[in-house]
Amino acid sequence: MKALLVNRTLKRSPEPSHTEAPASVVAERLSEQNVQVTSVRAVDLAIAPGVATDAGDGDEWPRVHSKLLDSEILVIASPTWPGRPSSVAQRVLERMNAMMSGTDDADRPVAYHRVAGVVVTGNEDGAHHVISEISGGLADIGDTIPGQAWTYWHLGPGPGPDYLDEQRGRDWAHSTGHAMADNLLGVARALSALPLRAGG
């Protein structure tokens, strides 16, 4: 099994990412179960706006798209700004939109073979909203969203410390992240054994 983790932080490498830290908990849990995990920080790439798989010269999205097609598990990680998914998260979803028209050799939508989950960080009380928006977009594209395929960390409404500066709430976020990883892998294995049929 392979998994792709797309971090949609607004911070370029090598700046520390508060979103990457809890997402790595999910990645490590998957790795412990022999899943090969690849991570991408989308903001580091030249990803053009649009809804096509390839936007032309200089567009680096096709590299990410190739990794998506090579993975059974997708983990999307996004901060909450302001009360919504990051602008980078929206751009990635828009580029993934092109997958809706792609099919495999059995005429099934290419996303049908994949499961997806969401990791969210932020100090605003909008984590469930962000999870819902991203999960809804992924389901539209064709990914399967298992039960409890998410984890998040925040300390309630209003300003406050960031994940890397605060220990409170981590235990819950980590245990939820472990459950998320287990659920993603369980459903990915089920889909591998019994793939969905083409619609119609």
Side-chain angles (χ1 to χ4, degrees):
M1 286 275 173
K2 294 182 180 179
L4 176 64
L5 191 164
V6 183
N7 183 2
R8 300 173 183 186
T9 178
L10 301 180
K11 297 175 180 176
R12 294 184 180 274
S13 298
E15 189 174 358
S17 165
H18 297 284
T19 302
E20 184 176 315
S24 68
V25 172
V26 178
E28 288 166 8
R29 179 74 163 199
L30 289 170
S31 296
E32 289 169 1
Q33 300 180 75
N34 299 315
V35 177
Q36 181 182 333
V37 181
T38 300
S39 296
V40 173
R41 193 182 288 203
V43 75
D44 289 339
L45 304 176
I47 299 176
V51 292
T53 298
D54 191 339
D57 188 38
D59 180 30
E60 294 187 85
W61 175 254
R63 288 170 41 199
V64 182
H65 178 77
S66 179
K67 294 178 188 297
L68 276 171
L69 295 184
D70 195 38
S71 302
E72 293 85 8
I73 299 170
L74 172 63
V75 176
I76 298 296
S78 175
T80 309
W81 292 113
R84 304 181 63 82
S86 73
S87 56
V88 176
Q90 182 62 28
R91 177 162 296 190
V92 169
L93 279 175
E94 288 168 351
R95 294 304 300 271
M96 287 181 66
N97 188 74
M99 296 175 70
M100 294 177 72
S101 58
T103 55
D104 64 11
D105 294 339
D107 203 33
R108 294 170 296 206
V110 291
Y112 267 29
H113 308 297
R114 291 162 184 85
V115 299
V118 184
V119 177
V120 175
T121 55
N123 293 322
E124 298 162 8
D125 194 11
H128 279 289
H129 173 76
V130 173
I131 290 165
S132 296
E133 285 213 358
I134 295 175
S135 295
L138 293 169
D140 259 3
I141 291 162
D143 290 292
T144 296
I145 313 297
Q148 211 270 279
W150 47 262
T151 187
Y152 65 89
W153 181 92
H154 71 81
L155 292 180
D162 292 313
Y163 177 90
L164 292 174
D165 305 320
E166 177 61 60
Q167 293 295 322
R168 286 179 297 162
R170 285 197 189 188
D171 289 346
W172 181 88
H174 290 188
S175 64
T176 310
H178 289 163
M180 168 187 172
D182 293 347
N183 293 346
L184 286 170
L185 182 55
V187 175
R189 285 173 171 162
L191 282 176
S192 178
L194 190 64
L196 297 172
R197 296 181 297 174

